[in-house]
Amino acid sequence: MTKHMHTPVTKKMNKITIKREIPSDISKRKKITRCSSVNAKEMHAHIAFEVLTRLPIKTLDIFKCVSTSWSSMIRQPEFMKAHRPCGGILIHHLPDYSRLNDLYYASLNGKNEVFFHRARLPYFGYKDITPVINGLACLHTGHQVSLFNISTLELMELPSSSLRGEGLSVWYALGFDTVDNLYKLLKLSSTVANRLVYEILTLETSSRSAWRWREIAQEGLPWFSTVTDQSYFVNGIIYCKFRTPNFHENGAQYLLAFDVHQEHFTIFNLPRVPSHVFSIFERSFILFGQVEGRLAVARVKKTQFETVLELWALEDHQNSIWSKHNIDLPDELLRYFHTVKPIGNLSSGELLLCGSSSSSSDYRQTNPFYVYDPVNKKFTKLMVELPNSLGSIGLFFNHITCLMEKITPLNDLVGLRKNV
């Protein structure tokens, strides 16, 4: 009887002993699960990294608010270096509408893109901005000027010149020395002593403490009262259009060329045309960008039967030699717009055109932009819409830059070392 009673107990004990070994197996499985979870998170982070580096900055700005981990990732130097440039259009000056003197940007990577508000001017006290060079511009108000990273909205204050407080009017243009790989800022100031002063600031990459304004002394430079348009940087040269104080209705305008590497000015003429031709052409040439790597100006011929866009490409600025190219505007374009004018170049070299209407009600056209391929002589409508705040102002936003947007830190764009 006793023997029969002990046998079941022994079996139960054996079962209990076996069950006590199970927790160790569970612990091992938990470790495996934790490792798998870590690997999954790393994999998800890697996928997110690869996807985010392909997105335009407008989308990245939104994603920064979605996730703290994504926001931290986007701000990392490794991410900024890996981010792929995105083509876009930046409206960076609305001179006739000071209340709308803001920055608007639209990506060109997708269909039906819309301009969105990038920054408001004045921006930290700065009221005006130079054209963009390699993602950099200069914000300025009088003699106060700072470097500005268009993509990251970073600012770097630049030193003041010795003329601070003397200038009646100040004009700036940013250029890049392709020989020495340095940015240089050109400054033209008219003083109370009726003197025009040319200065240059070289942004040395070794140290910011070495940045000093230098006056450019060159004989034979004319006095002029106004730089009439924004500057354009083409093949190492800064170009701008100016007029002399005795400029009158039938007078001539000139172009000023500044070689950024040689730091030398050249004055030359716009294309020469017979005076009677002005009756069918708009009087002023539009300085807008380049054609096949050469500075270009344009004007529009309008008659009862046709509208022709006339382009002039600069062949030799030393001798004022230009070549002319006529572009017949298609009926499809003129059906919506009274005329068009070139306003810049895409990164591919194609011309960016903007339509203008004679009726103020038609200024609300949502797609006023066209692209012209000078090689294939083909027009393409650019599907980029204006927001409501811009749709009613027509062509008054005549300062536009086409750029490749990349979130490179300001110090890296300038080439400064981290310890300066």
Side-chain angles (χ1 to χ4, degrees):
M1 184 74 176
T2 305
K3 185 177 180 180
H4 293 292
M5 291 176 62
H6 284 287
T7 302
V9 174
T10 303
K11 289 182 179 180
K12 289 181 179 179
M13 289 298 293
N14 289 338
K15 290 181 180 179
I16 293 173
T17 302
I18 293 171
K19 288 180 180 179
R20 286 177 179 174
E21 293 175 356
I22 292 176
S24 64
D25 296 332
I26 295 174
S27 178
K28 290 179 182 178
R29 283 197 295 271
K30 285 183 177 179
K31 289 181 180 179
I32 295 172
T33 303
R34 281 196 296 268
C35 291
S36 300
S37 177
V38 171
N39 292 335
K41 288 181 179 179
E42 291 178 353
M43 182 178 65
H44 293 161
H46 176 73
I47 294 173
F49 185 93
E50 290 297 321
V51 172
L52 292 176
T53 55
R54 291 170 166 80
L55 298 178
I57 291 179
K58 173 186 176 182
T59 308
L60 292 180
D61 288 342
I62 297 173
F63 282 5
K64 286 178 184 178
C65 304
V66 173
S67 167
T68 55
S69 61
W70 287 358
S71 178
S72 176
M73 178 191 297
I74 293 170
R75 289 179 169 86
Q76 294 300 316
E78 294 79 9
F79 182 90
M80 292 182 177
K81 291 179 181 179
H83 182 252
R84 302 185 181 185
C86 304
I89 304 173
L90 181 76
I91 298 178
H92 60 83
H93 196 193
L94 305 174
D96 295 330
Y97 281 75
S98 58
R99 64 184 179 86
L100 293 174
N101 192 18
D102 294 350
L103 305 180
Y104 291 84
Y105 178 81
S107 171
L108 297 180
N109 285 358
K111 296 182 178 179
N112 300 322
E113 295 285 350
V114 179
F115 278 94
F116 71 98
H117 190 261
R118 188 70 184 146
R120 182 172 300 280
L121 295 179
Y123 186 76
F124 288 95
Y126 295 99
K127 298 180 180 179
D128 210 344
I129 184 171
T130 66
V132 181
I133 305 295
N134 300 333
L136 282 179
C138 283
L139 295 178
H140 57 91
T141 299
H143 294 277
Q144 182 183 0
V145 60
S146 285
L147 271 180
F148 181 55
N149 187 331
I150 293 295
S151 298
T152 63
L153 302 182
E154 296 172 280
L155 277 175
M156 179 186 295
E157 187 175 359
L158 299 178
S160 301
S161 70
S162 58
L163 291 175
R164 185 180 180 93
E166 296 183 24
L168 294 175
S169 62
V170 183
W171 177 88
Y172 293 92
L174 184 64
F176 184 72
D177 184 342
T178 56
V179 177
D180 296 329
N181 292 322
L182 295 171
Y183 288 94
K184 294 183 180 181
L185 182 60
L186 178 64
K187 177 182 178 182
L188 277 61
S189 306
S190 59
T191 68
V192 292
N194 202 30
R195 188 168 70 100
L196 190 63
V197 180
Y198 303 81
E199 294 179 284
I200 192 78
L201 177 66
T202 301
L203 307 183
E204 297 282 353
T205 58
S206 57
S207 174
R208 286 182 61 186
S209 60
W211 293 358
R212 295 287 187 277
W213 286 96
R214 295 178 287 109
E215 186 171 345
I216 302 174
Q218 181 178 330
E219 295 183 358
L221 292 178
W223 166 267
F224 53 87
S225 58
T226 306
V227 176
T228 57
D229 285 320
Q230 69 174 6
S231 64
Y232 281 93
F233 178 75
V234 181
N235 295 331
I237 298 177
I238 296 173
Y239 295 96
C240 66
K241 189 168 64 171
F242 70 93
R243 64 185 184 186
T244 56
N246 61 351
F247 179 84
H248 55 89
E249 186 177 358
N250 295 319
Q253 290 182 317
Y254 299 91
L255 287 174
L256 180 70
F258 178 72
D259 189 311
V260 178
H261 177 66
Q262 299 292 338
E263 297 186 1
H264 185 271
F265 289 97
T266 302
I267 307 295
F268 61 101
N269 294 315
L270 287 160
R272 297 185 180 276
V273 294
S275 59
H276 69 274
V277 177
F278 283 124
S279 61
I280 57 175
F281 277 92
E282 292 183 350
R283 180 172 302 278
S284 297
F285 282 100
I286 303 167
L287 180 65
F288 71 90
Q290 56 182 301
V291 173
E292 298 177 357
R294 295 164 294 170
L295 179 75
V297 297
R299 58 181 184 169
V300 179
K301 172 186 175 183
K302 293 179 291 186
T303 69
Q304 183 180 357
F305 306 102
E306 64 177 353
T307 300
V308 176
L309 180 64
E310 188 179 271
L311 300 182
W312 293 78
L314 182 63
E315 302 292 343
D316 179 6
H317 71 263
Q318 298 287 347
N319 299 299
S320 300
I321 299 177
W322 300 81
S323 60
K324 185 177 70 170
H325 310 268
N326 285 337
I327 300 176
D328 294 324
L329 300 178
D331 294 336
E332 177 188 358
L333 193 153
L334 296 177
R335 188 179 301 119
Y336 298 102
F337 302 106
H338 177 64
T339 186
V340 296
K341 72 174 183 178
I343 53 177
N345 298 88
L346 301 182
S347 58
S348 59
E350 296 172 310
L351 275 64
L352 181 63
L353 309 174
C354 191
S356 173
S357 175
S358 58
S359 172
S360 60
S361 62
D362 292 335
Y363 281 160
R364 290 175 173 80
Q365 289 286 344
T366 57
N367 298 99
F369 299 103
Y370 282 78
V371 174
Y372 176 71
D373 183 351
V375 176
N376 299 315
K377 298 182 179 180
K378 180 181 178 182
F379 286 89
T380 304
K381 192 171 185 179
L382 193 62
M383 302 304 293
V384 180
E385 295 187 5
L386 294 173
N388 293 332
S389 57
L390 291 180
S392 61
I393 63 174
L395 274 180
F396 291 107
F397 50 94
N398 59 355
H399 289 205
I400 295 180
T401 293
C402 299
L403 54 86
M404 295 300 291
E405 190 181 40
K406 182 175 174 61
I407 54 172
T408 304
L410 181 55
N411 280 351
D412 290 351
L413 278 177
V414 180
L416 283 170
R417 297 172 185 172
K418 291 185 178 180
N419 59 348
V420 298

